[in-house]
Amino acid sequence: MEVDDLDWNRTLREQWEFHWDHQIRARLAGLTDDEYFWSPVPDGWSVRPRGTSTAPVQAGGGEFTIDYAFPTPDPAPFTTIAWRLGHVIVGVLAARNAAYFGTDAASYDTWEYADDAATALHQLETQVDTWLVGVRTLSDAKLAIPVGSKEPYPEASMADLVLHIHRELIHHLSEVCLLRDLYLHTRHTTNGATR
């Protein structure tokens, strides 16, 4: 195959779509509210009812906020599944969907964070679908255009951004799956009874 014949858009999309369709989506099915909010360590960052957080920053436009700090402490606090999904939904996807594909503006400060696992998974599905629809519209010429001032690395191409977003999705949603495994193996005995 000649390089000029390669369908770059399909290749970029398949990096994420394969992982989403064959690994992540099934692993997220059945996420419970207890798992969503569970923290195996004290003082982890999460999504919480407004006014109940002790984090330096509580961002959000609805009844629930996400814990944050600027700058991020070192070491960074442990983050729950709720926090990780909030980060992926808003910071990784919704803000980029707004910046590049014309959806409503989205930010950590204005987002209405999910107060349960089912709503969070619905938000995630919606943002993933929007992202993939948008990426499908990118021609080779559009993939080569620098992203400009919308990103920390303005000289990076749109293809670079697509790869970055897909790495972020794979990274953070794999963490969510690992937390589900940890929850299962630390919160239940071998006969399925909760500890």
Side-chain angles (χ1 to χ4, degrees):
M1 172 186 290
E2 295 293 321
V3 172
D4 291 341
D5 296 333
L6 185 61
D7 183 344
W8 287 106
N9 186 289
R10 180 186 58 77
T11 300
L12 291 171
R13 279 185 291 108
E14 284 184 352
Q15 177 200 31
W16 165 243
E17 286 177 321
F18 182 87
H19 195 67
W20 177 243
D21 291 338
H22 298 287
Q23 294 171 326
I24 294 292
R25 182 180 273 159
R27 291 289 314 277
L28 296 178
L31 180 69
T32 67
D33 292 348
D34 195 49
E35 289 174 286
Y36 179 65
F37 290 113
W38 176 67
S39 181
V41 300
D43 302 319
W45 279 356
S46 193
V47 170
R48 306 176 194 283
R50 183 172 293 285
T52 64
S53 174
T54 59
V57 176
Q58 300 103 51
E63 305 261 333
F64 277 66
T65 61
I66 193 166
D67 297 337
Y68 242 93
F70 298 103
T72 303
D74 185 17
F78 176 85
T79 56
T80 65
I81 290 174
W83 191 97
R84 291 165 201 249
L85 287 178
H87 169 63
V88 166
I89 292 163
V90 181
V92 176
L93 290 169
R96 271 36 180 268
N97 286 335
Y100 300 101
F101 304 127
T103 62
D104 292 338
S107 73
Y108 288 114
D109 290 332
T110 62
W111 192 260
E112 293 197 17
Y113 292 93
D115 62 354
D116 62 73
T119 303
L121 292 179
H122 176 73
Q123 289 178 346
L124 177 64
E125 289 265 357
T126 299
Q127 294 304 320
V128 165
D129 290 348
T130 301
W131 172 255
L132 289 173
V133 166
V135 170
R136 281 188 188 94
T137 69
L138 300 173
S139 65
D140 286 355
K142 287 181 180 177
L143 286 168
I145 294 172
V147 293
S149 61
K150 296 175 184 177
E151 298 293 335
Y153 301 99
E155 69 285 354
S157 70
M158 189 63 184
D160 292 326
L161 178 66
V162 171
L163 288 169
H164 170 68
I165 295 304
H166 293 173
R167 284 189 304 263
E168 282 284 287
L169 293 171
I170 292 166
H171 166 82
H172 288 299
L173 295 176
S174 295
E175 291 175 330
V176 168
C177 294
L178 179 61
L179 283 173
R180 290 197 79 190
D181 290 342
L182 185 62
Y183 176 89
L184 175 68
H185 291 283
T186 60
R187 302 278 295 177
H188 294 83
T189 63
T190 54
N191 69 3
T194 302
R195 287 184 183 169

